[in-house]
Amino acid sequence: SVGKIRCAFTKVYDKESKTWCEPYQDGNILTRSLTTISLNYVGSSEKLDSVFKAIDGETWFDDGLRGHFDEDGFLYLTGREKEMIISGGVNVFPNEIEAAIKQHKHVFDVAVVRYPDRELGEVPAAVIQLREGGMIKEEDIIAHCHDLAITGYKIPKHIEFVESLPRHIDGKMHKKELEDRFWQGIEQRG
């Protein structure tokens, strides 16, 4: 949880049903505050059109975060729309897969990104940094995901081990850098 939101009106919205979400129901996290409503992208009105949504006569800011509230009003982030993998028409959010893989005792860090697939368009790929002295194989990660009841289409179809994952100084993962390697010369179709 990221805690209770104190400085903005925040709700979770289901775009498909066009309704506000109940506790524990994932949707887009929308906010309203003086800061968000007064946002201005210099020279780009198109960008503004893409982040502001009019719902029930009010303007809401939507930057693509997904999540839900619990019954006590704590907000949980579960993904970002721009990181969503569309595998054979099914939406897959990397956060759930990453959280499961991180539970393996030999895994230090992981990034799940889009990977090209001839039949499904794109599938999840896991790029994994092991703990010092950690020794595992692809099969171990797949078995671990099965043990944690990760749905079959969410289990990474490509697994790669690296010495370190690219992170910005603020700790944010550079997923685009990882993903771009897989898509060189391939048109993204997901």
Side-chain angles (χ1 to χ4, degrees), residues 116 180-188:
D180 284 350
R181 289 186 304 120
F182 301 136
W183 289 91
Q184 285 182 351
I186 300 171
E187 179 186 339
Q188 252 178 304

Short mmCIF file of all heavy atoms in Angstrom, two decimals, residues 116 180-188:
data_model
loop_
_atom_site.label_atom_id
_atom_site.label_comp_id
_atom_site.label_asym_id
_atom_site.label_seq_id
_atom_site.Cartn_x
_atom_site.Cartn_y
_atom_site.Cartn_z
N PRO A 116 8.47 -10.37 -27.94
CA PRO A 116 7.73 -10.70 -29.16
C PRO A 116 7.38 -12.19 -29.26
O PRO A 116 8.17 -13.05 -28.91
CB PRO A 116 8.69 -10.30 -30.29
CG PRO A 116 10.04 -10.22 -29.66
CD PRO A 116 9.84 -9.94 -28.21
N ASP A 180 13.54 -2.83 -25.34
CA ASP A 180 13.99 -2.44 -26.68
C ASP A 180 14.93 -3.48 -27.29
O ASP A 180 14.92 -3.70 -28.50
CB ASP A 180 14.67 -1.07 -26.65
CG ASP A 180 13.67 0.07 -26.53
OD1 ASP A 180 12.45 -0.18 -26.65
OD2 ASP A 180 14.10 1.21 -26.31
N ARG A 181 15.74 -4.15 -26.47
CA ARG A 181 16.66 -5.18 -26.99
C ARG A 181 15.88 -6.30 -27.67
O ARG A 181 16.30 -6.85 -28.68
CB ARG A 181 17.49 -5.79 -25.86
CG ARG A 181 18.53 -4.90 -25.28
CD ARG A 181 19.41 -5.61 -24.26
NE ARG A 181 18.66 -6.22 -23.17
CZ ARG A 181 18.68 -7.52 -22.87
NH1 ARG A 181 19.39 -8.35 -23.56
NH2 ARG A 181 17.98 -7.98 -21.85
N PHE A 182 14.74 -6.68 -27.09
CA PHE A 182 13.95 -7.79 -27.62
C PHE A 182 13.21 -7.43 -28.91
O PHE A 182 12.86 -8.31 -29.68
CB PHE A 182 12.94 -8.28 -26.58
CG PHE A 182 13.56 -8.75 -25.30
CD1 PHE A 182 13.01 -8.39 -24.08
CD2 PHE A 182 14.69 -9.56 -25.29
CE1 PHE A 182 13.57 -8.83 -22.88
CE2 PHE A 182 15.25 -10.01 -24.11
CZ PHE A 182 14.69 -9.64 -22.90
N TRP A 183 12.94 -6.14 -29.11
CA TRP A 183 12.09 -5.72 -30.22
C TRP A 183 12.85 -5.11 -31.38
O TRP A 183 12.24 -4.60 -32.32
CB TRP A 183 11.03 -4.73 -29.71
CG TRP A 183 10.01 -5.42 -28.87
CD1 TRP A 183 10.06 -5.59 -27.51
CD2 TRP A 183 8.81 -6.06 -29.30
NE1 TRP A 183 8.96 -6.30 -27.08
CE2 TRP A 183 8.17 -6.59 -28.16
CE3 TRP A 183 8.21 -6.22 -30.55
CZ2 TRP A 183 6.96 -7.29 -28.24
CZ3 TRP A 183 7.01 -6.90 -30.62
CH2 TRP A 183 6.40 -7.42 -29.47
N GLN A 184 14.18 -5.15 -31.37
CA GLN A 184 14.95 -4.58 -32.46
C GLN A 184 14.57 -5.26 -33.77
O GLN A 184 14.64 -6.47 -33.91
CB GLN A 184 16.46 -4.73 -32.20
CG GLN A 184 16.94 -3.76 -31.16
CD GLN A 184 18.44 -3.86 -30.96
OE1 GLN A 184 19.11 -4.75 -31.46
NE2 GLN A 184 18.99 -2.93 -30.19
N GLY A 185 14.10 -4.44 -34.73
CA GLY A 185 13.74 -4.93 -36.05
C GLY A 185 12.40 -5.66 -36.11
O GLY A 185 12.05 -6.23 -37.13
N ILE A 186 11.64 -5.63 -35.02
CA ILE A 186 10.34 -6.30 -34.97
C ILE A 186 9.27 -5.26 -34.68
O ILE A 186 9.41 -4.44 -33.79
CB ILE A 186 10.30 -7.38 -33.87
CG1 ILE A 186 11.38 -8.45 -34.13
CG2 ILE A 186 8.92 -8.01 -33.76
CD1 ILE A 186 11.56 -9.43 -33.02
N GLU A 187 8.18 -5.32 -35.43
CA GLU A 187 7.05 -4.41 -35.20
C GLU A 187 6.25 -4.90 -34.01
O GLU A 187 5.85 -6.06 -33.95
CB GLU A 187 6.16 -4.36 -36.44
CG GLU A 187 4.97 -3.45 -36.29
CD GLU A 187 4.03 -3.53 -37.47
OE1 GLU A 187 4.48 -3.98 -38.56
OE2 GLU A 187 2.87 -3.17 -37.31
N GLN A 188 6.02 -3.99 -33.03
CA GLN A 188 5.22 -4.36 -31.86
C GLN A 188 3.76 -4.45 -32.25
O GLN A 188 3.21 -3.54 -32.85
CB GLN A 188 5.41 -3.35 -30.73
CG GLN A 188 6.21 -3.94 -29.61
CD GLN A 188 6.47 -2.97 -28.49
OE1 GLN A 188 7.01 -1.90 -28.72
NE2 GLN A 188 6.13 -3.35 -27.30
#
